[in-house]
Amino acid sequence: MTPEEQNFMRKIEAEEKIEPKDWMPEQYRKNLIRQISQHAHSEVIGMQPEGNYITRAPSLRRKAVLISKVQDEAGHGLYLYSAAETLGISRSEMIEQLQSGKAKYSSIFNYPVLTWADVAAIGWLVDGAAIVNQVSLQRTSYGPYSRGMIRICKEESFHQRQGYEAMLSLAKGSPEQKAMAQDALNRFYWPALMMFGPHDSESAHSQKSMEWKIKRETNDDLRQKFVDQTVKQIEVLGLDHPDKAIKWNEERGHYDSSDLNWDEFWSVINGNGHCNRQRVEHHIAAHDEGEWVRDAITAYNEKKRAKKAQQAA
Amino acid sequence: MSEAIKAATLEYATRLGDDSVVLGHRISEWISYGPFLEEDIAYGNVSLDYIGRARMFYTYAAELANDGRDEDDFAYMRNDREYRNLLLMEMPKGDFAYSQVRQLFADVYYTYLLPELLKSKDETLSAIAAKAIKETKYHLRRSRDWVLRLGDGTEESHKRTQKAVDALWGYTHELFDMDETEQLLADEGIGVDVSKLHDAWLAKVTEILTEATLTVPTEEWAVRGGRTGYHTENLGHMLTEMQIVHRSHPGCKW
């Protein structure tokens, strides 16, 4: 190991944060850029499925809460893009990678949001799963990412509570509302579990990322936490658990559950989900339509600068 | 409060609520469609302010009506013919220039309307105005900046912005119309005499459009009818979408 590498590893061992100007292995930088930008893209693409219900939210209060949630997601996207930018990649490069399909985002957003209960289920399950992951990432070794996570976690737990509360209103509501809630749970439960990624044995980037403390807990451990915490929540709602095999295992101190449909997981990751094309096309269309606006700002600023220079001369 | 004044105040609060919910809804249509992420956030803010106002106005209207209805009954259970919003608010979002020009017209309007409403003898209306004034200050700063940048940006942005100004101009005249209900309330010191705001509005809008190198339309073309429920064809579509889930489950809580 070079002295730089030794110093880097010493910091990692000592739980010191790595900061943007510190030396870091190229692969560490690459893994971080991949992970943080993927996280940022997930926030941004995640605005679409929920945004899809803003104009149909069933009460003014729910409409306000939903707008504010989607707005928070845009905000999270911004912090995360900024965190990634400290590693030497620009936001426009990241957006290009998202649009070309080179960069991924969480596959959960490739499932369609069909009913109002889906919006509630996303708040509860998807934000819930995200928090389990993000709480663990508050201890990630890269300073700007860790600080971003601390900030984001506060807002995400608010979203999760709102989602659960919306779900509770449905579950305790009319028979139609309750059926809507059950249907949403049945559809979103499995993809929410897939959010933790493949089994540790299948996860291409996991080992190195664990060693460098970019990731602090394995996919399977995080998934187990989520499975465990969700059982009680489903009970309180009075809904049926979508996993018929769910069973408390005294010895492990955890719930045993069915294995996931990994074919579906890989198929969605590889672009064949319900909404993959739609989500990316939406992003591209909005971005392209905004081009003349961005050009206008540049032109306007240029004119102002020229004017100032003229006045100064 | 006499019955006549109470009825007029209920109608007035409903009108102001309708303006807010319709505009708030239109702005919310931009979320995830903005030219960049910061704009999605800004649109969210402005839209939330208007939804918040709508809730306050409707809650007050419901209190005056005292017939068991709540804010959501006002928003979700009335048809387009019953809505009393100004037509300007219901126009579709259009392109970015169109939305920003509409916003400028509305923001300048509220810049002059709200300080008058603040003076209302009606404490609730005055309190809503107090909160809204702060929001509108921020809204106007934003829509003014945008119209300047778009008007004096590129050839294309200038063209689009001028087109939006021309297209929306005809809907601005009714912002300053009075009818019996509003006259009664203005005389009582409860409502605002909007006919008195026109000169200030026109002066401010002219100043901003001129700085943005845009031309202030001089055409007499004017479309009216929002306050009597004589809407454009756009509102029906908007309400159909907005009310679908609520109306599909009558009497349910969300």
Side-chain angles (χ1 to χ4, degrees):
Chain A
M1 264 200 267
T2 65
E4 283 163 328
E5 280 172 311
Q6 274 173 5
N7 190 37
F8 172 81
M9 280 317 291
R10 181 196 58 76
K11 281 189 197 160
I12 297 282
E13 301 296 332
E15 296 287 329
E16 282 174 34
K17 297 292 177 220
I18 305 299
E19 295 299 335
K21 294 205 161 83
D22 295 347
W23 184 90
M24 60 187 84
E26 244 349 88
Q27 199 55 43
Y28 176 85
R29 185 184 298 277
K30 273 191 185 149
N31 278 12
L32 269 172
I33 288 178
R34 201 198 57 253
Q35 184 168 331
I36 301 174
S37 71
Q38 183 172 324
H39 194 160
H41 297 325
S42 301
E43 298 281 358
V44 171
I45 294 294
M47 292 167 68
Q48 291 179 34
E50 288 173 285
N52 170 41
Y53 252 96
I54 286 175
T55 54
R56 289 176 291 169
S59 73
L60 292 178
R61 183 171 80 89
R62 292 290 176 203
K63 195 184 191 75
V65 169
L66 184 58
I67 291 172
S68 136
K69 181 183 180 204
V70 175
Q71 192 190 23
D72 283 347
E73 280 157 11
H76 298 170
L78 278 184
Y79 313 154
L80 288 162
Y81 281 133
S82 309
E85 279 178 326
T86 63
L87 293 158
I89 183 167
S90 69
R91 204 209 292 187
S92 56
E93 280 173 272
M94 288 184 266
I95 289 175
E96 225 175 85
Q97 292 178 352
L98 168 68
Q99 296 186 342
S100 71
K102 190 181 164 221
K104 303 276 188 230
Y105 55 87
S106 179
S107 60
I108 190 81
F109 300 120
N110 292 318
Y111 291 84
V113 166
L114 304 176
T115 70
W116 171 252
D118 290 8
V119 175
I122 287 182
W124 163 39
L125 295 171
V126 175
D127 289 65
I131 294 167
V132 169
N133 190 26
Q134 288 165 5
V135 162
S136 152
L137 287 173
Q138 291 179 347
R139 296 186 297 120
T140 189
S141 57
Y142 188 56
Y145 192 27
S146 160
R147 291 188 287 274
M149 282 300 113
I150 291 168
R151 207 164 149 190
I152 287 172
C153 273
K154 286 187 193 144
E155 290 177 354
E156 295 281 8
S157 48
F158 179 67
H159 297 164
Q160 201 249 352
R161 276 202 303 279
Q162 292 286 357
Y164 190 68
E165 194 240 338
M167 200 70 177
L168 201 58
S169 298
L170 297 172
K172 305 290 175 199
S174 71
E176 290 80 12
Q177 283 177 309
K178 188 171 178 181
M180 202 196 285
Q182 183 71 57
D183 172 49
L185 169 59
N186 294 347
R187 279 183 289 113
F188 277 93
Y189 179 74
W190 304 103
L193 295 185
M194 292 179 194
M195 285 171 68
F196 296 97
H199 280 313
D200 299 334
S201 52
E202 308 275 321
S203 180
H205 309 285
S206 272
Q207 200 197 341
K208 209 63 192 162
S209 284
M210 289 289 289
E211 210 173 288
W212 282 329
K213 298 187 180 171
I214 295 176
K215 284 172 76 164
R216 301 306 308 253
E217 289 172 86
T218 69
N219 294 352
D220 287 329
D221 286 349
L222 291 167
R223 185 169 16 246
Q224 181 71 59
K225 263 189 200 173
F226 181 74
V227 166
D228 290 348
Q229 78 179 32
T230 306
V231 171
K232 183 79 192 157
Q233 294 169 345
I234 295 175
E235 262 174 44
V236 172
L237 290 170
L239 297 176
D240 296 329
H241 200 295
D243 186 354
K244 300 302 165 216
I246 196 92
K247 195 167 178 262
W248 178 249
N249 182 325
E250 193 66 50
E251 206 175 306
R252 289 202 309 126
H254 289 293
Y255 281 93
D256 290 337
S257 54
S258 306
D259 199 16
L260 299 175
N261 180 346
W262 293 108
D263 291 341
E264 175 184 317
F265 173 83
W266 291 114
S267 156
V268 178
I269 291 266
N270 292 325
N272 299 315
H274 231 75
C275 301
N276 296 56
R277 282 162 199 245
Q278 179 193 331
R279 300 290 185 234
V280 173
E281 276 165 19
H282 175 135
H283 194 276
I284 292 173
H287 190 75
D288 288 355
E289 169 55 30
E291 192 174 2
W292 69 269
V293 179
R294 297 189 297 275
D295 289 347
I297 302 175
T298 312
Y300 178 81
N301 291 342
E302 201 44 60
K303 282 184 198 176
K304 289 286 138 187
R305 238 195 317 274
K307 218 177 195 175
K308 235 183 189 170
Q310 208 175 27
Q311 278 165 354
Chain B
M1 208 188 273
S2 80
E3 279 308 311
I5 297 205
K6 196 172 170 181
T9 309
L10 163 58
E11 168 70 18
Y12 191 54
T14 308
R15 290 178 182 189
L16 296 176
D18 290 349
D19 288 339
S20 301
V21 84
V22 171
L23 183 55
H25 184 100
R26 284 302 189 208
I27 301 166
S28 79
E29 292 174 347
W30 273 101
I31 299 171
S32 93
Y33 290 89
F36 42 85
L37 214 40
E38 286 82 348
E39 266 316 291
D40 284 323
I41 296 176
Y43 269 126
N45 275 329
V46 180
S47 155
L48 276 174
D49 288 341
Y50 278 101
I51 302 293
R53 281 184 207 181
R55 297 183 65 192
M56 291 187 283
F57 283 124
Y58 284 154
T59 299
Y60 186 41
E63 194 185 307
L64 292 167
N66 193 26
D67 55 7
R69 284 186 292 167
D70 63 11
E71 58 178 38
D72 289 331
D73 291 313
F74 279 81
Y76 290 93
M77 298 306 288
R78 290 183 306 133
N79 297 324
D80 51 348
R81 298 281 287 133
E82 296 165 291
Y83 258 71
R84 290 290 180 267
N85 60 282
L86 297 162
L87 302 178
L88 178 69
M89 312 304 183
E90 74 197 40
M91 301 311 285
K93 80 186 212 293
D95 67 6
F96 191 76
Y98 190 88
S99 271
Q100 291 300 353
V101 169
R102 181 236 305 271
Q103 202 58 45
L104 178 74
F105 290 168
D107 293 341
V108 175
Y109 182 62
Y110 287 118
T111 298
Y112 295 111
L113 186 145
L114 292 171
E116 294 304 314
L117 191 62
L118 184 68
K119 296 181 204 156
S120 172
K121 279 187 198 156
D122 184 301
E123 282 174 18
T124 310
L125 293 177
S126 173
I128 299 173
K131 183 170 182 293
I133 283 174
K134 290 177 214 146
E135 298 164 355
T136 285
K137 233 181 185 161
Y138 158 77
H139 299 169
L140 177 60
R141 203 169 61 211
R142 184 170 167 273
S143 59
R144 179 182 175 275
D145 280 359
W146 268 118
V147 169
L148 292 181
R149 286 185 278 181
L150 297 177
D152 195 15
T154 61
E155 199 178 313
E156 182 181 8
S157 71
H158 177 88
K159 216 163 98 189
R160 285 179 186 250
T161 313
Q162 184 66 56
K163 195 173 157 201
V165 169
D166 296 342
L168 287 163
W169 196 254
Y171 299 96
T172 61
H173 304 279
E174 73 162 353
L175 270 59
F176 309 99
D177 288 349
M178 293 291 284
D179 65 1
E180 266 179 45
T181 303
E182 297 198 18
Q183 197 57 57
L184 172 68
L185 293 177
D187 294 344
E188 289 291 327
I190 292 171
V192 177
D193 185 346
V194 286
S195 67
K196 292 184 179 155
L197 307 179
H198 180 256
D199 292 352
W201 181 87
L202 184 61
K204 186 57 146 181
V205 165
T206 301
E207 176 200 312
I208 296 168
L209 293 184
T210 308
E211 193 185 338
T213 73
L214 296 162
T215 309
V216 179
T218 50
E219 273 181 87
E220 292 297 314
W221 173 62
V223 187
R224 296 182 150 88
R227 293 296 190 223
T228 57
Y230 189 53
H231 289 280
T232 68
E233 291 174 351
N234 303 295
L235 185 65
H237 292 280
M238 194 201 104
L239 292 181
T240 301
E241 183 174 346
M242 183 175 117
Q243 297 175 337
I244 178 71
V245 179
H246 185 96
R247 289 204 185 199
S248 302
H249 301 269
C252 285
K253 295 270 167 263
W254 301 95

